[in-house]
Amino acid sequence: MIIKPFAPSPLTKGLQALVTRLHPTHPQYQNLQQELKNKEAGDFGEQYVMKELQQIALLNDCYIFHNVILPSVLPMQIDILLIVPNAIILLEIKNIRGTVHFKNDPRQLIRTSESGEVHVFTHPEIQLEQYIQGMKHFLEAQRVSIPIYGAVVFPFNNVNIHREDGQLPILMAKELPIFLHKHLEKSKETATMAEIKSIILSHLRNKMPFPLCQYYKIDVSALRRGVYCEDCGQFGMEKLKIGWHCQKCQHRCRDAHIQALKDYYMLVGETITNRECRDFLMIDSEHVTKRILQKLQLPRSGSNKYSSYKLSGL
């Protein structure tokens, strides 16, 4: 049973909006573009593993969560969490291609790309061990005792892995059925899976670094304003009586402003005034902007020109 189905990371969506609205000449553009590529690759790998898990008949009566953030003395952002009879299994997904060396003393992951570039990363065992300890502290606070296991998973066979001695399993996605079968085979249900599921659901958090302009220390004035045309990729769609019109490709869209307001929420702030909305959407009329905001039925505070609208519900 899939409790929390796969969805692209909110941070990925935010980075997509930021890279789209930054001019390529901005000093942070190249780094942010690379960070976005890494996030998209990570999301793709996690999506693949989630699909593989859904096909394992042994997990039909188990619970699966994706992208889990829970309160703990140690930070936890778990890629995939499984609740099986009498165990919790944490999976750290690494969608990395090339040649990978897992080094000890100090523990590092060294990746050599197909072009010969060498990159050094934190050893995923360190992250996974932190998550296991954090999960133990979290469950102890809830007075729950259950074994916790973990594994590092590579989704695809486009990686050549070299490993020194390690404590936690490193698997390819196709090995997951065998790995999980071993834990399910020896487990006896002394803990209630539904109870643990309920505890996790009640404590889930959505901790994302919005607004991203503040997080990355980018001046809001550097963002390209206007409504984005999905057909030709240009900003500055014109507001018509019904919908929006792109003067470059003639594309029309009734609700193109909604994505622009979502961009504003992820990049600039949770609330927006009429004036800020006019400036960001590049609309001249205060009354047209008011109608747009009111039609979205957003939570509103203040009155008249001091009104602000909460965008988190979009």
Side-chain angles (χ1 to χ4, degrees):
M1 182 184 297
I2 305 297
I3 295 298
K4 192 169 183 280
F6 175 84
S9 161
L11 179 55
T12 301
K13 292 180 179 179
L15 281 169
Q16 287 169 344
L18 183 55
V19 169
T20 300
R21 288 192 175 268
L22 272 184
H23 197 277
T25 58
H26 190 277
Q28 288 178 254
Y29 181 85
Q30 297 296 331
N31 288 338
L32 289 169
Q33 190 179 49
Q34 184 58 52
E35 186 169 343
L36 173 59
K37 287 180 181 178
N38 294 341
K39 283 297 298 176
E40 288 174 334
D43 285 354
F44 184 68
E46 291 167 24
Q47 181 180 24
Y48 179 83
V49 173
M50 287 288 285
K51 287 180 179 177
E52 289 290 306
L53 292 172
Q54 291 181 61
Q55 295 173 24
I56 300 175
L58 287 166
L59 298 178
N60 284 344
D61 297 322
C62 301
Y63 299 106
I64 306 174
F65 294 81
H66 171 253
N67 196 18
V68 177
I69 300 175
L70 293 168
S72 174
V73 293
L74 295 170
M76 284 194 293
Q77 187 164 343
I78 302 160
D79 291 339
I80 296 176
L81 180 151
L82 297 90
I83 305 174
V84 301
N86 201 32
I88 286 178
I89 299 172
L90 311 182
L91 302 180
E92 176 72 11
I93 313 302
K94 291 298 177 188
N95 188 11
I96 301 175
R97 61 192 307 166
T99 300
V100 171
H101 288 80
F102 289 91
K103 296 289 188 181
N104 290 335
D105 195 24
R107 289 196 290 179
Q108 293 177 315
L109 186 155
I110 301 175
R111 189 272 300 272
T112 304
S113 69
E114 295 168 348
S115 63
E117 291 182 276
V118 177
H119 302 272
V120 180
F121 302 92
T122 300
H123 198 301
E125 270 193 356
I126 297 173
Q127 290 177 302
L128 197 50
E129 287 170 1
Q130 177 177 301
Y131 298 160
I132 290 172
Q133 288 301 316
M135 196 72 200
K136 285 179 180 177
H137 284 292
F138 169 76
L139 292 175
E140 284 172 1
Q142 308 302 318
R143 298 182 180 179
V144 174
S145 178
I146 188 171
I148 301 170
Y149 305 102
V152 178
V153 181
F154 285 82
F156 309 110
N157 290 318
N158 56 1
V159 59
N160 181 18
I161 298 173
H162 300 270
R163 185 188 189 188
E164 297 177 5
D165 291 338
Q167 298 179 356
L168 295 171
I170 296 176
L171 311 171
M172 305 306 296
K174 294 297 183 182
E175 297 179 273
L176 278 171
I178 298 171
F179 171 77
L180 295 171
H181 184 266
K182 289 178 181 178
H183 289 289
L184 288 165
E185 195 175 42
K186 66 184 179 182
S187 67
K188 296 178 181 179
E189 189 171 355
T190 57
T192 304
M193 289 195 300
E195 178 188 354
I196 297 172
K197 176 208 74 173
S198 179
I199 291 170
I200 289 175
L201 282 174
S202 65
H203 287 83
L204 282 179
R205 293 180 175 179
N206 183 20
K207 187 178 180 182
M208 292 300 157
F210 297 152
L212 291 186
C213 281
Q214 179 179 323
Y215 181 77
Y216 288 108
K217 296 180 173 55
I218 294 172
D219 195 309
V220 173
S221 64
L223 299 178
R224 293 194 277 188
R225 297 177 299 128
V227 174
Y228 181 76
C229 176
E230 291 185 350
D231 265 29
C232 70
Q234 296 297 308
F235 285 96
M237 293 184 79
E238 179 187 6
K239 181 70 179 79
L240 303 179
K241 188 173 182 180
I242 300 179
W244 298 82
H245 173 247
C246 178
Q247 293 180 321
K248 181 173 181 180
C249 71
Q250 308 307 311
H251 174 66
R252 294 197 178 196
C253 180
R254 190 181 187 92
D255 300 318
H257 59 282
I258 293 178
Q259 184 56 55
L261 291 174
K262 288 180 179 179
D263 290 355
Y264 188 95
Y265 164 69
M266 294 185 288
L267 305 182
V268 182
E270 185 180 10
T271 61
I272 194 168
T273 65
N274 187 297
R275 180 185 294 275
E276 290 166 340
C277 186
R278 293 201 313 270
D279 179 64
F280 195 72
L281 300 184
M282 297 176 67
I283 301 174
D284 294 328
S285 171
E286 178 180 347
H287 300 293
V288 169
T289 306
K290 183 178 180 181
R291 286 198 297 272
I292 286 174
L293 292 168
Q294 288 182 339
K295 190 174 181 181
L296 291 171
Q297 298 182 330
L298 300 169
R300 174 182 165 186
S301 60
S303 58
N304 301 324
K305 65 180 181 179
Y306 299 107
S307 294
S308 64
Y309 299 83
K310 196 169 183 178
L311 298 173
S312 53
L314 282 174

